[in-house]
């Protein structure tokens, strides 16, 4: 086997890393921005690899695994790990480059995808004689010879699952799961030995989920009466009924100013009218104390506070272009823009660890438009951010986790569409990033987004209903996506062109119908149940270590740790 070499070159003369995670469609739409820091280049050495500075060579016989990862929609990178367990510097590619490298490598070695991590590939030699010899030495198989090896290469599970039951954990991590019924339990194939060492909760979501027909769903009328839901002291008598009405039809514009304050937690549902007066007074005092903090900072002080100065610069830039078509924010020196600026600056004082991140002005502007009150809009924003704050955190783990959850749902609903999108190297549905980040704020008209958000704030009918909305949109575009045989660039372009062209009521009906279809499935996979918040673990599962951390979270943590250990780049930061 030739000792092939792969070379990794420095991207710039200064050794600086460029974009880390760019989720958007415009150059200025980024939650995580460029980080430029000096790096120390540490050589990597082991028995099979030599790596100095920015170049390295590795014999393919010493290659153990490749991990595909993505920093952005437009840039992929690969991390190679030698059999000595040492990760090599990451290799960055333009679109399509990783596929070309995979094709070249597969002429010399076998790359097999892990079922629990779709971006991890283990490397095996193509030398069938060596592979057969290894099997004979292990004495794991009763059969021998190259014929068995060739069957193993073409269908590893069907050929060797029984023989390799002694090393189940290794092969579960190393081999791709089949699309057939071979991986069924011993009840379906009594010849397979029982596997008591199988990990609890391990589940494969395949095309085998049989869903019933999707029901027809109708929307209701918006909530247009409020006083009838209040008792003599002003308490809301039936909060669940109110939420149900809001979910089915939204709220009429005149009532939004009052109802939103309950939906967003400014007022407790069981508070009396007198208690709400007290809450407003306390919240007003608290707000202006925080506002005074940043208003009283002198220019000289701010010159020595780069974080606050950076927040102010971002806010001023975003405020100047937020919803300018709306009369409440249009024109220069508009009082609405001043309120928007002041509320966002005060939020930095309220949550200085998070501060301000691009996209937050999009969340505040509809709230401010409805309440038209500085204090109330601020506390409604804090309630909204209780739901979304993880979307804006620096690690972006919450966003990656949501994209994985969306993939799980779409795989159960429409395996063909999910596989097609994945085959286009779409980065685990990363083109949906903006949808999930700010709950479709830029996808619908201003009036529609008011309805959509109040529907989502009810938290009905399940956890992660916004993911079902994303599924509804994707399935509504199924014919266009698959029928036109789009590649990743055209998929991204098509998704972006849906902005302001989607019919909200149709999307909401589709999302609710999807939910009804899923919950009517008697054998709904546990992973799907977990995404929807329907899964209740048994007492034994609650006591087990695996119940404390989901498999998805473990994979995310593992991927992050490996990427950090093999890259000398420092972590991303806010723009």
């Amino acid at each position: 086997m030739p000792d092939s070499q792969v070379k990794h070159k420095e991207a710039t003369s200064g050794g600086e890393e460029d974009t880390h995670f760019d989720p958007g469609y415009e150059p200025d739409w980024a939650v995580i921005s460029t980080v430029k820091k000096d790096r120390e280049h540490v050589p990597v050495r082991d028995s099979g690899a030599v790596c100095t500075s920015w170049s390295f060579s590795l014999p393919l016989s010493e290659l153990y695994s490749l991990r595909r990862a993505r920093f952005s929609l437009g840039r992929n990178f690969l991390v190679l790990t030698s059999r000595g367990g040492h990760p090599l510097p990451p290799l960055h590619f333009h679109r399509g480059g990783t596929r070309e490298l995979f094709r070249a490598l597969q002429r010399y070695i076998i790359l097999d995808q892990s079922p629990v991590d779709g971006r991890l590939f283990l490397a095996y030699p193509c030398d069938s004689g060596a592979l057969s010899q290894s099997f004979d030495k292990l004495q794991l198989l009763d059969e021998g010879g190259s014929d068995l090896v060739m069957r193993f290469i073409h269908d590893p599970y069907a050929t060797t699952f029984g023989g390799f039951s002694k090393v189940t954990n290794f092969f579960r991590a190393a081999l791709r799961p089949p699309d057939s019924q071979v991986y069924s339990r011993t009840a379906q194939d009594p010849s397979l030995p029982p596997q008591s060492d199988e990990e609890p909760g391990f589940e494969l979501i395949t095309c085998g989920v049989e869903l019933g027909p999707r029901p027809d769903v109708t929307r209701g009328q918006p909530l247009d009466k409020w006083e009838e839901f209040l008792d003599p002291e002003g308490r809301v008598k039936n909060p669940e009924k109110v939420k149900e009405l809001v979910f089915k039809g939204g709220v009429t514009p005149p009532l939004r100013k009052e109802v939103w304050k309950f939906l967003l937690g400014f007022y407790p549902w069981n508070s009396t009218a007198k208690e709400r007066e007290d809450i407003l007074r306390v919240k007003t005092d608290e707000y202006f104390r925080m506002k005074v903090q940043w208003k009283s900072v002198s220019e000289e002080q701010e010159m020595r506070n780069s974080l606050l100065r950076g927040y102010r610069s971002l806010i001023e830039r975003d405020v100047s272009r937020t919803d300018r078509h709306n009369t409440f924010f249009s024109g220069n020196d508009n009082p609405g823009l001043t309120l928007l600026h002041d509320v966002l600056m005060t939020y930095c004082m309220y949550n200085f660890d998070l501060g301000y991140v691009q996209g937050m002005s999009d969340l505040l502007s509809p709230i401010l438009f409805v309440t038209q009150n500085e204090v109330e809009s601020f506390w409604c924003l804090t309630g909204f951010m209780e739901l979304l704050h993880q979307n804006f955190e620096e690690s972006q783990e919450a966003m990656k986790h949501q994209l994985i959850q969306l993939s799980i749902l779409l795989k159960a609903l429409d395996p063909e569409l999910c596989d097609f999108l994945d085959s286009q190297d779409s980065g685990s549905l990363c083109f949906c990033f903006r949808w999930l980040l700010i709950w479709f704020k830029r996808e619908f008209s201003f009036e529609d987004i008011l309805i959509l958000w109040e529907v989502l704030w009810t938290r009905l009918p399940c956890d992660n209903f916004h993911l079902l909305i994303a599924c509804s949109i994707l399935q509504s575009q199924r014919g266009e996506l698959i029928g036109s045989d789009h590649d990743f660039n055209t998929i991204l372009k098509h998704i972006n062109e849906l902005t302001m062209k989607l019919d909200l009521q149709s999307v909401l009906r589709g999302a609710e119908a999807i939910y009804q279809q899923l919950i009517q499935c008697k054998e709904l996979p546990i992973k799907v149940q977990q995404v929807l918040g329907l899964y209740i673990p048994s007492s034994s599962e609650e006591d087990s270590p695996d119940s404390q951390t989901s498999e998805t979270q473990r994979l995310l943590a593992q991927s992050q740790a490996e990427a950090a250990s093999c890259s000398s780049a420092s972590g991303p930061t806010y723009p």
Side-chain angles (χ1 to χ4, degrees), residues 394-508:
E394 182 176 2
S395 67
Q396 292 295 287
E397 291 306 309
M399 289 302 302
K400 297 171 191 174
H401 183 58
Q402 288 185 73
L403 291 170
I404 291 174
Q405 291 178 316
L406 177 58
S407 182
I408 289 172
L409 290 175
L410 192 61
K411 184 71 171 179
L413 291 166
D414 195 335
E416 183 183 3
L417 176 59
C418 187
D419 291 342
F420 170 77
L421 294 175
D422 186 65
S423 70
Q424 303 308 310
D425 197 24
S426 57
S428 300
L429 305 177
C430 274
F431 53 82
C432 301
F433 186 98
R434 189 174 73 182
W435 293 359
L436 309 183
L437 178 72
I438 52 175
W439 276 8
F440 309 94
K441 168 61 171 64
R442 298 192 178 185
E443 316 314 316
F444 294 95
S445 67
F446 192 83
E447 180 58 35
D448 279 350
I449 206 64
L450 302 182
I451 299 171
L452 174 59
W453 282 1
E454 58 201 13
V455 166
L456 290 172
W457 290 336
T458 66
R459 312 305 291 155
L460 295 176
C462 66
D463 293 344
N464 293 318
F465 188 67
H466 65 293
L467 298 181
L468 297 181
I469 291 174
C471 289
S472 176
I473 296 174
L474 290 174
Q475 287 201 291
S476 73
Q477 303 300 312
R478 187 183 196 279
E480 174 65 25
L481 294 174
I482 295 182
S484 300
D485 195 25
H486 288 322
D487 60 14
F488 173 70
N489 289 333
T490 51
I491 288 175
L492 181 61
K493 182 175 182 292
H494 177 74
I495 294 296
N496 193 32
E497 289 174 348
L498 294 177
T499 300
M500 302 299 173
K501 297 178 182 178
L502 296 168
D503 178 65
L504 176 64
Q505 296 303 321
S506 175
V507 169
L508 288 175

Side-chain angles (χ1 to χ4, degrees), residues 49 101 158 171 185 243 256 315 330 347 400 451 538 553 559 571:
L101 179 60
F171 273 89
R185 303 306 309 141
K243 293 178 185 178
R256 280 180 176 146
I315 290 171
S330 63
Y347 186 83
K400 297 171 191 174
I451 299 171
S538 64
Q553 290 171 324
S559 177

Side-chain angles (χ1 to χ4, degrees), residues 80-99:
L80 281 64
T81 302
S82 71
R83 296 196 177 276
H86 300 288
L88 300 172
L91 304 173
H92 293 261
F93 294 88
H94 295 291
R95 291 192 181 103
T98 56
R99 291 193 296 271

Side-chain angles (χ1 to χ4, degrees), residues 55-74:
S55 65
F56 64 81
S57 64
L58 176 70
L60 291 183
S61 59
E62 293 297 325
L63 178 63
Y64 176 72
S65 69
L66 296 87
R67 178 177 293 280
R68 267 177 106 184
R70 178 182 293 276
F71 274 147
S72 71
L73 289 176

Side-chain angles (χ1 to χ4, degrees), residues 216-327:
D216 292 329
V217 171
T218 58
R219 299 284 297 161
Q221 296 299 314
L223 177 69
D224 58 357
K225 293 181 176 62
W226 181 243
E227 294 298 328
E228 67 181 38
F229 286 98
L230 303 180
D231 68 12
E233 294 183 323
R235 295 186 185 89
V236 179
K237 291 183 292 187
N238 194 340
E240 296 308 314
K241 180 63 175 178
V242 172
K243 293 178 185 178
E244 182 180 343
L245 291 172
V246 173
F247 173 77
K248 293 297 290 185
V251 183
T252 55
L255 293 183
R256 280 180 176 146
K257 178 178 172 65
E258 189 66 23
V259 177
W260 278 25
K261 288 181 282 189
F262 288 88
L263 291 172
L264 290 170
F266 182 74
Y267 291 141
W269 289 96
N270 62 349
S271 61
T272 64
K274 176 63 170 62
E275 289 171 340
R276 291 195 286 273
E277 291 177 3
D278 296 337
I279 290 172
L280 179 59
R281 183 171 59 255
V282 171
K283 293 290 189 181
T284 300
D285 291 343
E286 187 176 354
Y287 172 80
F288 282 105
R289 281 199 304 271
M290 290 185 290
K291 184 175 181 178
V292 167
Q293 292 175 2
W294 65 266
K295 292 284 282 187
S296 62
V297 174
S298 66
E299 292 185 9
E300 186 178 355
Q301 285 179 298
E302 191 169 309
M303 288 296 295
R304 295 189 293 271
N305 190 333
S306 60
L307 196 57
L308 180 61
R309 191 168 64 249
Y311 289 156
R312 186 191 295 273
S313 176
L314 280 174
I315 290 171
E316 290 176 350
R317 185 179 68 180
D318 287 353
V319 163
S320 67
R321 58 189 180 188
T322 297
D323 292 320
R324 299 309 297 273
H325 61 280
N326 189 305
T327 55

